[in-house]
Amino acid sequence: MERTSSISVIGAGVAGLASAIELSGRGFAVEILDRAARLGEGACSWMAGGMLAPWCERATTDEIVAQRGEPSLDWWRRHFPGTVSNGSLVVAPARDAADLTRFAARTERHEWLDADQIAALEPDLSGRFRRALFFRDEAHLDPRAALAALAAELAARHVPIRFGTEVDGLADQKGMIVDCRGLAARDVLPDLRGVRGEMIVVRTRDISLSRPVRLLHPRIPLYIVPRGDGRFMIGATMVESEERRAVTVRSAVELLNAAYTLHPAFGEAEIVELGADLRPAFPDNLPQVRRRGRVLHANGLYRHGFLLAPWLAREVADVVSAETGNADIPERRRA
Ligand SMILES: Cc1cc2nc3c(=O)[nH]c(=O)nc-3n(C[C@H](O)[C@H](O)[C@H](O)COP(=O)(O)OP(=O)(O)OC[C@H]3O[C@@H](n4cnc5c(N)ncnc54)[C@H](O)[C@@H]3O)c2cc1C
């Protein structure tokens, strides 16, 4: 049954697409407006690694991230069949072995693997690491394919995505508005900041991996996510900077060194893409849904865009459902 309320979602990044999925699933008439010419263009979501790793993230984040993120794994399996549920692996160079023990102490839902077990899981890493942590329940996806799958699901539900539509004044829009503009929403969310992230995509046929591998590193936690077809995403830097410039030499060296440390075969890989963007983050690095009149701001996904977008989208849909049922809506909801 379609409800009469019409809702405009501004932004076709992962926050906007997931919100539109949840809203249309609850029977609301939804449209998405995005200023870009096509899906992903100019969206931070296009640059993401696509790790769905709530328990690994516990090493550096509040436990609420794991609590909110855990149901996302099923959400993505339902909406994107390309979600790969092979777990994730954490390794450290021999000189940083103590870091692995510290990582284990700060995280949960992992098991220790010895060299033989690592080789059984990832044959191409055979003989390279003595120990690893295996997070069996984690998953990963190709963010670009996942965004396309959400857009296709919305098209099948007759939810239009109007690309090339720049929204200047939210107040000019009719009906309820869900503002999912990412960092561009800073005009109305002054405490939103950008956290710079850089990544590199390489291609090689000389190594294959079945799951993301994190390499503990004294300065940057680095990971390599297999994207299929010989492609690997190496990411990601975390820099408290809002500079919108291309990947720096220093970051490229760090990222490529990590790949080389993981396996020397990456030394012969082709560099296919270098990318940088700014993650939208609130001061506590947790996403929030804020309501101001008829506008809901859904933002602050930080480094957990794909992990926490399903949670954020459900919050949006809960607030809109409560609104249309005239329930008492809190002015501000937070993760
Ligand atoms: C290098 C890197 C690696 C990352 N790795 C991961 C990871 O492994 N896992 C993970 O979960 N997250 C990861 N992230 C974080 C994730 O990418 C972000 O949290 C997420 O993409 C934010 O999504 P969003 O929908 O809020 O914003 P965006 O994806 O930026 O979407 C905003 C959309 O709004 C549109 N828009 C903006 N202004 C207007 C306007 N005025 N009118 C109309 N449309 C407008 C834009 O065109 C855009 O499409 C990573 C980020 C980076 C940079």
Side-chain angles (χ1 to χ4, degrees), residues 272-306:
V272 186
E273 181 181 342
L274 295 113
D277 211 328
L278 304 179
R279 307 170 178 92
F282 287 120
D284 59 3
N285 294 332
L286 295 174
Q288 298 176 15
V289 176
R290 293 181 187 172
R291 178 169 177 264
R292 282 193 196 131
R294 348 181 243 106
V295 182
L296 292 185
H297 302 282
N299 216 315
L301 282 170
Y302 182 50
R303 58 179 281 163
H304 304 121
F306 285 76

PDB file of all heavy atoms in Angstrom, residues 272-306:
ATOM      1  N   VAL A 272      45.584   1.288 -11.591  1.00  0.00           N
ATOM      2  CA  VAL A 272      44.421   1.559 -12.429  1.00  0.00           C
ATOM      3  C   VAL A 272      43.767   2.893 -12.050  1.00  0.00           C
ATOM      4  O   VAL A 272      43.213   3.596 -12.879  1.00  0.00           O
ATOM      5  CB  VAL A 272      43.371   0.427 -12.270  1.00  0.00           C
ATOM      6  CG1 VAL A 272      42.238   0.607 -13.241  1.00  0.00           C
ATOM      7  CG2 VAL A 272      43.998  -0.931 -12.442  1.00  0.00           C
ATOM      8  N   GLU A 273      43.841   3.222 -10.771  1.00  0.00           N
ATOM      9  CA  GLU A 273      43.124   4.425 -10.314  1.00  0.00           C
ATOM     10  C   GLU A 273      43.740   4.926  -9.013  1.00  0.00           C
ATOM     11  O   GLU A 273      44.114   4.127  -8.152  1.00  0.00           O
ATOM     12  CB  GLU A 273      41.649   4.056 -10.070  1.00  0.00           C
ATOM     13  CG  GLU A 273      40.781   5.209  -9.617  1.00  0.00           C
ATOM     14  CD  GLU A 273      39.323   4.765  -9.366  1.00  0.00           C
ATOM     15  OE1 GLU A 273      38.924   3.681  -9.855  1.00  0.00           O
ATOM     16  OE2 GLU A 273      38.610   5.518  -8.671  1.00  0.00           O
ATOM     17  N   LEU A 274      43.836   6.247  -8.885  1.00  0.00           N
ATOM     18  CA  LEU A 274      44.175   6.870  -7.606  1.00  0.00           C
ATOM     19  C   LEU A 274      43.016   7.798  -7.270  1.00  0.00           C
ATOM     20  O   LEU A 274      42.583   8.573  -8.133  1.00  0.00           O
ATOM     21  CB  LEU A 274      45.466   7.693  -7.702  1.00  0.00           C
ATOM     22  CG  LEU A 274      46.742   6.904  -7.994  1.00  0.00           C
ATOM     23  CD1 LEU A 274      47.284   7.266  -9.361  1.00  0.00           C
ATOM     24  CD2 LEU A 274      47.782   7.213  -6.932  1.00  0.00           C
ATOM     25  N   GLY A 275      42.504   7.715  -6.058  1.00  0.00           N
ATOM     26  CA  GLY A 275      41.335   8.534  -5.729  1.00  0.00           C
ATOM     27  C   GLY A 275      41.422   9.094  -4.322  1.00  0.00           C
ATOM     28  O   GLY A 275      42.032   8.498  -3.435  1.00  0.00           O
ATOM     29  N   ALA A 276      40.814  10.260  -4.143  1.00  0.00           N
ATOM     30  CA  ALA A 276      40.773  10.882  -2.812  1.00  0.00           C
ATOM     31  C   ALA A 276      39.424  11.552  -2.627  1.00  0.00           C
ATOM     32  O   ALA A 276      38.840  12.052  -3.587  1.00  0.00           O
ATOM     33  CB  ALA A 276      41.887  11.915  -2.678  1.00  0.00           C
ATOM     34  N   ASP A 277      38.924  11.526  -1.402  1.00  0.00           N
ATOM     35  CA  ASP A 277      37.686  12.255  -1.103  1.00  0.00           C
ATOM     36  C   ASP A 277      37.647  12.572   0.388  1.00  0.00           C
ATOM     37  O   ASP A 277      38.539  12.173   1.137  1.00  0.00           O
ATOM     38  CB  ASP A 277      36.449  11.448  -1.520  1.00  0.00           C
ATOM     39  CG  ASP A 277      35.302  12.365  -1.932  1.00  0.00           C
ATOM     40  OD1 ASP A 277      35.188  13.476  -1.365  1.00  0.00           O
ATOM     41  OD2 ASP A 277      34.531  11.987  -2.818  1.00  0.00           O
ATOM     42  N   LEU A 278      36.603  13.299   0.801  1.00  0.00           N
ATOM     43  CA  LEU A 278      36.461  13.701   2.197  1.00  0.00           C
ATOM     44  C   LEU A 278      35.265  12.982   2.805  1.00  0.00           C
ATOM     45  O   LEU A 278      34.140  13.110   2.316  1.00  0.00           O
ATOM     46  CB  LEU A 278      36.249  15.219   2.294  1.00  0.00           C
ATOM     47  CG  LEU A 278      37.327  16.085   1.643  1.00  0.00           C
ATOM     48  CD1 LEU A 278      36.969  17.568   1.785  1.00  0.00           C
ATOM     49  CD2 LEU A 278      38.696  15.824   2.285  1.00  0.00           C
ATOM     50  N   ARG A 279      35.520  12.228   3.870  1.00  0.00           N
ATOM     51  CA  ARG A 279      34.429  11.527   4.560  1.00  0.00           C
ATOM     52  C   ARG A 279      33.670  12.536   5.421  1.00  0.00           C
ATOM     53  O   ARG A 279      34.294  13.280   6.189  1.00  0.00           O
ATOM     54  CB  ARG A 279      34.979  10.441   5.481  1.00  0.00           C
ATOM     55  CG  ARG A 279      35.922   9.450   4.820  1.00  0.00           C
ATOM     56  CD  ARG A 279      36.566   8.597   5.914  1.00  0.00           C
ATOM     57  NE  ARG A 279      37.456   7.578   5.398  1.00  0.00           N
ATOM     58  CZ  ARG A 279      38.769   7.740   5.216  1.00  0.00           C
ATOM     59  NH1 ARG A 279      39.350   8.905   5.487  1.00  0.00           N
ATOM     60  NH2 ARG A 279      39.505   6.758   4.772  1.00  0.00           N
ATOM     61  N   PRO A 280      32.344  12.536   5.355  1.00  0.00           N
ATOM     62  CA  PRO A 280      31.594  13.463   6.220  1.00  0.00           C
ATOM     63  C   PRO A 280      31.525  12.921   7.645  1.00  0.00           C
ATOM     64  O   PRO A 280      31.127  11.778   7.863  1.00  0.00           O
ATOM     65  CB  PRO A 280      30.186  13.476   5.582  1.00  0.00           C
ATOM     66  CG  PRO A 280      30.075  12.194   4.810  1.00  0.00           C
ATOM     67  CD  PRO A 280      31.460  11.730   4.489  1.00  0.00           C
ATOM     68  N   ALA A 281      31.953  13.736   8.622  1.00  0.00           N
ATOM     69  CA  ALA A 281      32.014  13.244  10.004  1.00  0.00           C
ATOM     70  C   ALA A 281      31.550  14.318  10.979  1.00  0.00           C
ATOM     71  O   ALA A 281      31.898  15.493  10.837  1.00  0.00           O
ATOM     72  CB  ALA A 281      33.441  12.818  10.343  1.00  0.00           C
ATOM     73  N   PHE A 282      30.788  13.896  12.000  1.00  0.00           N
ATOM     74  CA  PHE A 282      30.453  14.769  13.116  1.00  0.00           C
ATOM     75  C   PHE A 282      31.582  14.668  14.158  1.00  0.00           C
ATOM     76  O   PHE A 282      32.433  13.777  14.069  1.00  0.00           O
ATOM     77  CB  PHE A 282      29.109  14.356  13.732  1.00  0.00           C
ATOM     78  CG  PHE A 282      27.922  14.725  12.868  1.00  0.00           C
ATOM     79  CD1 PHE A 282      27.055  13.746  12.388  1.00  0.00           C
ATOM     80  CD2 PHE A 282      27.682  16.054  12.534  1.00  0.00           C
ATOM     81  CE1 PHE A 282      25.961  14.093  11.599  1.00  0.00           C
ATOM     82  CE2 PHE A 282      26.595  16.405  11.740  1.00  0.00           C
ATOM     83  CZ  PHE A 282      25.737  15.424  11.276  1.00  0.00           C
ATOM     84  N   PRO A 283      31.570  15.552  15.167  1.00  0.00           N
ATOM     85  CA  PRO A 283      32.703  15.550  16.117  1.00  0.00           C
ATOM     86  C   PRO A 283      32.956  14.193  16.787  1.00  0.00           C
ATOM     87  O   PRO A 283      34.101  13.834  17.054  1.00  0.00           O
ATOM     88  CB  PRO A 283      32.301  16.615  17.147  1.00  0.00           C
ATOM     89  CG  PRO A 283      31.444  17.569  16.367  1.00  0.00           C
ATOM     90  CD  PRO A 283      30.672  16.717  15.391  1.00  0.00           C
ATOM     91  N   ASP A 284      31.896  13.405  17.052  1.00  0.00           N
ATOM     92  CA  ASP A 284      32.122  12.106  17.707  1.00  0.00           C
ATOM     93  C   ASP A 284      32.287  10.962  16.697  1.00  0.00           C
ATOM     94  O   ASP A 284      32.346   9.791  17.087  1.00  0.00           O
ATOM     95  CB  ASP A 284      30.977  11.783  18.685  1.00  0.00           C
ATOM     96  CG  ASP A 284      29.616  11.732  17.990  1.00  0.00           C
ATOM     97  OD1 ASP A 284      29.564  11.886  16.744  1.00  0.00           O
ATOM     98  OD2 ASP A 284      28.608  11.529  18.691  1.00  0.00           O
ATOM     99  N   ASN A 285      32.350  11.304  15.419  1.00  0.00           N
ATOM    100  CA  ASN A 285      32.529  10.316  14.342  1.00  0.00           C
ATOM    101  C   ASN A 285      31.390   9.293  14.255  1.00  0.00           C
ATOM    102  O   ASN A 285      31.575   8.203  13.690  1.00  0.00           O
ATOM    103  CB  ASN A 285      33.875   9.578  14.471  1.00  0.00           C
ATOM    104  CG  ASN A 285      35.042  10.523  14.258  1.00  0.00           C
ATOM    105  OD1 ASN A 285      34.910  11.513  13.539  1.00  0.00           O
ATOM    106  ND2 ASN A 285      36.163  10.228  14.880  1.00  0.00           N
ATOM    107  N   LEU A 286      30.245   9.621  14.818  1.00  0.00           N
ATOM    108  CA  LEU A 286      29.085   8.728  14.730  1.00  0.00           C
ATOM    109  C   LEU A 286      28.003   9.396  13.883  1.00  0.00           C
ATOM    110  O   LEU A 286      27.793  10.609  13.982  1.00  0.00           O
ATOM    111  CB  LEU A 286      28.528   8.429  16.120  1.00  0.00           C
ATOM    112  CG  LEU A 286      29.457   7.643  17.051  1.00  0.00           C
ATOM    113  CD1 LEU A 286      28.856   7.548  18.448  1.00  0.00           C
ATOM    114  CD2 LEU A 286      29.735   6.256  16.488  1.00  0.00           C
ATOM    115  N   PRO A 287      27.303   8.610  13.050  1.00  0.00           N
ATOM    116  CA  PRO A 287      26.264   9.219  12.211  1.00  0.00           C
ATOM    117  C   PRO A 287      25.051   9.641  13.032  1.00  0.00           C
ATOM    118  O   PRO A 287      24.819   9.125  14.119  1.00  0.00           O
ATOM    119  CB  PRO A 287      25.891   8.077  11.247  1.00  0.00           C
ATOM    120  CG  PRO A 287      26.265   6.831  11.952  1.00  0.00           C
ATOM    121  CD  PRO A 287      27.420   7.162  12.843  1.00  0.00           C
ATOM    122  N   GLN A 288      24.309  10.575  12.486  1.00  0.00           N
ATOM    123  CA  GLN A 288      23.122  11.077  13.178  1.00  0.00           C
ATOM    124  C   GLN A 288      22.017  11.366  12.172  1.00  0.00           C
ATOM    125  O   GLN A 288      22.297  11.713  11.024  1.00  0.00           O
ATOM    126  CB  GLN A 288      23.419  12.399  13.885  1.00  0.00           C
ATOM    127  CG  GLN A 288      24.459  12.332  14.963  1.00  0.00           C
ATOM    128  CD  GLN A 288      24.771  13.701  15.539  1.00  0.00           C
ATOM    129  OE1 GLN A 288      24.029  14.669  15.332  1.00  0.00           O
ATOM    130  NE2 GLN A 288      25.872  13.787  16.258  1.00  0.00           N
ATOM    131  N   VAL A 289      20.786  11.276  12.663  1.00  0.00           N
ATOM    132  CA  VAL A 289      19.639  11.823  11.942  1.00  0.00           C
ATOM    133  C   VAL A 289      19.151  13.008  12.772  1.00  0.00           C
ATOM    134  O   VAL A 289      18.822  12.847  13.945  1.00  0.00           O
ATOM    135  CB  VAL A 289      18.511  10.785  11.787  1.00  0.00           C
ATOM    136  CG1 VAL A 289      17.296  11.423  11.110  1.00  0.00           C
ATOM    137  CG2 VAL A 289      18.991   9.587  10.975  1.00  0.00           C
ATOM    138  N   ARG A 290      19.158  14.177  12.161  1.00  0.00           N
ATOM    139  CA  ARG A 290      18.671  15.368  12.864  1.00  0.00           C
ATOM    140  C   ARG A 290      17.445  15.891  12.135  1.00  0.00           C
ATOM    141  O   ARG A 290      17.447  15.953  10.912  1.00  0.00           O
ATOM    142  CB  ARG A 290      19.727  16.474  12.871  1.00  0.00           C
ATOM    143  CG  ARG A 290      20.928  16.139  13.674  1.00  0.00           C
ATOM    144  CD  ARG A 290      21.888  17.308  13.629  1.00  0.00           C
ATOM    145  NE  ARG A 290      23.142  16.960  14.278  1.00  0.00           N
ATOM    146  CZ  ARG A 290      24.224  17.722  14.263  1.00  0.00           C
ATOM    147  NH1 ARG A 290      24.191  18.893  13.638  1.00  0.00           N
ATOM    148  NH2 ARG A 290      25.323  17.348  14.866  1.00  0.00           N
ATOM    149  N   ARG A 291      16.469  16.290  12.903  1.00  0.00           N
ATOM    150  CA  ARG A 291      15.252  16.795  12.284  1.00  0.00           C
ATOM    151  C   ARG A 291      15.103  18.285  12.548  1.00  0.00           C
ATOM    152  O   ARG A 291      15.273  18.736  13.671  1.00  0.00           O
ATOM    153  CB  ARG A 291      14.048  16.057  12.863  1.00  0.00           C
ATOM    154  CG  ARG A 291      12.738  16.551  12.316  1.00  0.00           C
ATOM    155  CD  ARG A 291      11.612  15.622  12.703  1.00  0.00           C
ATOM    156  NE  ARG A 291      10.358  16.161  12.217  1.00  0.00           N
ATOM    157  CZ  ARG A 291       9.533  16.894  12.958  1.00  0.00           C
ATOM    158  NH1 ARG A 291       9.842  17.177  14.207  1.00  0.00           N
ATOM    159  NH2 ARG A 291       8.409  17.338  12.447  1.00  0.00           N
ATOM    160  N   ARG A 292      14.828  19.009  11.458  1.00  0.00           N
ATOM    161  CA  ARG A 292      14.510  20.443  11.603  1.00  0.00           C
ATOM    162  C   ARG A 292      13.291  20.706  10.756  1.00  0.00           C
ATOM    163  O   ARG A 292      13.396  20.732   9.518  1.00  0.00           O
ATOM    164  CB  ARG A 292      15.656  21.304  11.099  1.00  0.00           C
ATOM    165  CG  ARG A 292      16.785  21.381  12.071  1.00  0.00           C
ATOM    166  CD  ARG A 292      17.760  22.483  11.701  1.00  0.00           C
ATOM    167  NE  ARG A 292      18.977  22.255  12.440  1.00  0.00           N
ATOM    168  CZ  ARG A 292      20.199  22.254  11.919  1.00  0.00           C
ATOM    169  NH1 ARG A 292      20.372  22.503  10.644  1.00  0.00           N
ATOM    170  NH2 ARG A 292      21.242  22.014  12.665  1.00  0.00           N
ATOM    171  N   GLY A 293      12.154  20.830  11.374  1.00  0.00           N
ATOM    172  CA  GLY A 293      10.922  21.045  10.615  1.00  0.00           C
ATOM    173  C   GLY A 293      10.660  19.867   9.695  1.00  0.00           C
ATOM    174  O   GLY A 293      10.653  18.715  10.126  1.00  0.00           O
ATOM    175  N   ARG A 294      10.482  20.163   8.385  1.00  0.00           N
ATOM    176  CA  ARG A 294      10.198  19.055   7.460  1.00  0.00           C
ATOM    177  C   ARG A 294      11.463  18.449   6.879  1.00  0.00           C
ATOM    178  O   ARG A 294      11.421  17.610   6.005  1.00  0.00           O
ATOM    179  CB  ARG A 294       9.334  19.464   6.257  1.00  0.00           C
ATOM    180  CG  ARG A 294       8.700  20.671   6.253  1.00  0.00           C
ATOM    181  CD  ARG A 294       7.859  20.979   5.022  1.00  0.00           C
ATOM    182  NE  ARG A 294       8.441  22.139   4.362  1.00  0.00           N
ATOM    183  CZ  ARG A 294       9.116  22.085   3.250  1.00  0.00           C
ATOM    184  NH1 ARG A 294       9.280  20.959   2.629  1.00  0.00           N
ATOM    185  NH2 ARG A 294       9.611  23.173   2.727  1.00  0.00           N
ATOM    186  N   VAL A 295      12.610  18.876   7.389  1.00  0.00           N
ATOM    187  CA  VAL A 295      13.864  18.356   6.842  1.00  0.00           C
ATOM    188  C   VAL A 295      14.536  17.417   7.847  1.00  0.00           C
ATOM    189  O   VAL A 295      14.697  17.760   9.024  1.00  0.00           O
ATOM    190  CB  VAL A 295      14.841  19.512   6.501  1.00  0.00           C
ATOM    191  CG1 VAL A 295      16.119  18.953   5.895  1.00  0.00           C
ATOM    192  CG2 VAL A 295      14.184  20.518   5.573  1.00  0.00           C
ATOM    193  N   LEU A 296      14.906  16.228   7.362  1.00  0.00           N
ATOM    194  CA  LEU A 296      15.728  15.320   8.153  1.00  0.00           C
ATOM    195  C   LEU A 296      17.126  15.338   7.566  1.00  0.00           C
ATOM    196  O   LEU A 296      17.281  15.142   6.361  1.00  0.00           O
ATOM    197  CB  LEU A 296      15.221  13.878   8.048  1.00  0.00           C
ATOM    198  CG  LEU A 296      13.893  13.501   8.657  1.00  0.00           C
ATOM    199  CD1 LEU A 296      13.690  11.999   8.528  1.00  0.00           C
ATOM    200  CD2 LEU A 296      13.866  13.902  10.113  1.00  0.00           C
ATOM    201  N   HIS A 297      18.104  15.553   8.385  1.00  0.00           N
ATOM    202  CA  HIS A 297      19.486  15.485   7.912  1.00  0.00           C
ATOM    203  C   HIS A 297      20.065  14.141   8.343  1.00  0.00           C
ATOM    204  O   HIS A 297      20.114  13.843   9.541  1.00  0.00           O
ATOM    205  CB  HIS A 297      20.323  16.615   8.527  1.00  0.00           C
ATOM    206  CG  HIS A 297      19.778  17.975   8.224  1.00  0.00           C
ATOM    207  ND1 HIS A 297      19.965  18.600   7.012  1.00  0.00           N
ATOM    208  CD2 HIS A 297      19.031  18.827   8.976  1.00  0.00           C
ATOM    209  CE1 HIS A 297      19.362  19.778   7.028  1.00  0.00           C
ATOM    210  NE2 HIS A 297      18.789  19.946   8.202  1.00  0.00           N
ATOM    211  N   ALA A 298      20.461  13.330   7.378  1.00  0.00           N
ATOM    212  CA  ALA A 298      21.039  12.005   7.673  1.00  0.00           C
ATOM    213  C   ALA A 298      22.481  12.051   7.202  1.00  0.00           C
ATOM    214  O   ALA A 298      22.747  12.072   5.998  1.00  0.00           O
ATOM    215  CB  ALA A 298      20.264  10.917   6.951  1.00  0.00           C
ATOM    216  N   ASN A 299      23.403  12.063   8.160  1.00  0.00           N
ATOM    217  CA  ASN A 299      24.777  12.363   7.759  1.00  0.00           C
ATOM    218  C   ASN A 299      25.788  11.835   8.781  1.00  0.00           C
ATOM    219  O   ASN A 299      25.412  11.212   9.769  1.00  0.00           O
ATOM    220  CB  ASN A 299      24.925  13.886   7.588  1.00  0.00           C
ATOM    221  CG  ASN A 299      25.851  14.231   6.448  1.00  0.00           C
ATOM    222  OD1 ASN A 299      26.920  13.653   6.301  1.00  0.00           O
ATOM    223  ND2 ASN A 299      25.431  15.176   5.616  1.00  0.00           N
ATOM    224  N   GLY A 300      27.059  12.092   8.495  1.00  0.00           N
ATOM    225  CA  GLY A 300      28.134  11.761   9.433  1.00  0.00           C
ATOM    226  C   GLY A 300      28.570  10.306   9.367  1.00  0.00           C
ATOM    227  O   GLY A 300      29.026   9.742  10.369  1.00  0.00           O
ATOM    228  N   LEU A 301      28.498   9.713   8.189  1.00  0.00           N
ATOM    229  CA  LEU A 301      28.852   8.285   8.093  1.00  0.00           C
ATOM    230  C   LEU A 301      30.351   8.028   8.253  1.00  0.00           C
ATOM    231  O   LEU A 301      30.769   6.882   8.412  1.00  0.00           O
ATOM    232  CB  LEU A 301      28.336   7.693   6.767  1.00  0.00           C
ATOM    233  CG  LEU A 301      26.844   7.381   6.762  1.00  0.00           C
ATOM    234  CD1 LEU A 301      26.352   7.041   5.362  1.00  0.00           C
ATOM    235  CD2 LEU A 301      26.519   6.233   7.709  1.00  0.00           C
ATOM    236  N   TYR A 302      31.149   9.075   8.151  1.00  0.00           N
ATOM    237  CA  TYR A 302      32.599   8.961   8.461  1.00  0.00           C
ATOM    238  C   TYR A 302      33.207   7.802   7.685  1.00  0.00           C
ATOM    239  O   TYR A 302      32.996   7.688   6.479  1.00  0.00           O
ATOM    240  CB  TYR A 302      32.748   8.811   9.980  1.00  0.00           C
ATOM    241  CG  TYR A 302      34.140   8.716  10.525  1.00  0.00           C
ATOM    242  CD1 TYR A 302      35.124   9.623  10.179  1.00  0.00           C
ATOM    243  CD2 TYR A 302      34.462   7.699  11.434  1.00  0.00           C
ATOM    244  CE1 TYR A 302      36.409   9.523  10.721  1.00  0.00           C
ATOM    245  CE2 TYR A 302      35.735   7.600  11.983  1.00  0.00           C
ATOM    246  CZ  TYR A 302      36.703   8.503  11.615  1.00  0.00           C
ATOM    247  OH  TYR A 302      37.955   8.398  12.147  1.00  0.00           O
ATOM    248  N   ARG A 303      33.942   6.906   8.337  1.00  0.00           N
ATOM    249  CA  ARG A 303      34.583   5.814   7.587  1.00  0.00           C
ATOM    250  C   ARG A 303      33.700   4.566   7.546  1.00  0.00           C
ATOM    251  O   ARG A 303      34.145   3.483   7.190  1.00  0.00           O
ATOM    252  CB  ARG A 303      35.955   5.473   8.164  1.00  0.00           C
ATOM    253  CG  ARG A 303      35.954   5.071   9.612  1.00  0.00           C
ATOM    254  CD  ARG A 303      37.342   4.738  10.099  1.00  0.00           C
ATOM    255  NE  ARG A 303      37.752   3.400   9.697  1.00  0.00           N
ATOM    256  CZ  ARG A 303      39.000   2.976   9.705  1.00  0.00           C
ATOM    257  NH1 ARG A 303      39.955   3.796  10.071  1.00  0.00           N
ATOM    258  NH2 ARG A 303      39.301   1.745   9.356  1.00  0.00           N
ATOM    259  N   HIS A 304      32.409   4.760   7.948  1.00  0.00           N
ATOM    260  CA  HIS A 304      31.514   3.603   8.035  1.00  0.00           C
ATOM    261  C   HIS A 304      30.313   3.743   7.116  1.00  0.00           C
ATOM    262  O   HIS A 304      29.191   3.398   7.491  1.00  0.00           O
ATOM    263  CB  HIS A 304      31.052   3.422   9.487  1.00  0.00           C
ATOM    264  CG  HIS A 304      32.195   3.281  10.442  1.00  0.00           C
ATOM    265  ND1 HIS A 304      32.413   4.134  11.490  1.00  0.00           N
ATOM    266  CD2 HIS A 304      33.221   2.400  10.445  1.00  0.00           C
ATOM    267  CE1 HIS A 304      33.517   3.772  12.126  1.00  0.00           C
ATOM    268  NE2 HIS A 304      34.026   2.733  11.511  1.00  0.00           N
ATOM    269  N   GLY A 305      30.560   4.252   5.901  1.00  0.00           N
ATOM    270  CA  GLY A 305      29.444   4.533   4.996  1.00  0.00           C
ATOM    271  C   GLY A 305      28.602   3.309   4.695  1.00  0.00           C
ATOM    272  O   GLY A 305      27.374   3.317   4.876  1.00  0.00           O
ATOM    273  N   PHE A 306      29.236   2.242   4.262  1.00  0.00           N
ATOM    274  CA  PHE A 306      28.485   1.044   3.873  1.00  0.00           C
ATOM    275  C   PHE A 306      28.101   0.230   5.096  1.00  0.00           C
ATOM    276  O   PHE A 306      27.066  -0.418   5.123  1.00  0.00           O
ATOM    277  CB  PHE A 306      29.280   0.226   2.844  1.00  0.00           C
ATOM    278  CG  PHE A 306      29.229   0.888   1.495  1.00  0.00           C
ATOM    279  CD1 PHE A 306      29.995   2.018   1.226  1.00  0.00           C
ATOM    280  CD2 PHE A 306      28.354   0.442   0.523  1.00  0.00           C
ATOM    281  CE1 PHE A 306      29.907   2.674   0.004  1.00  0.00           C
ATOM    282  CE2 PHE A 306      28.248   1.091  -0.696  1.00  0.00           C
ATOM    283  CZ  PHE A 306      29.041   2.208  -0.955  1.00  0.00           C
TER     284      PHE A 306
END
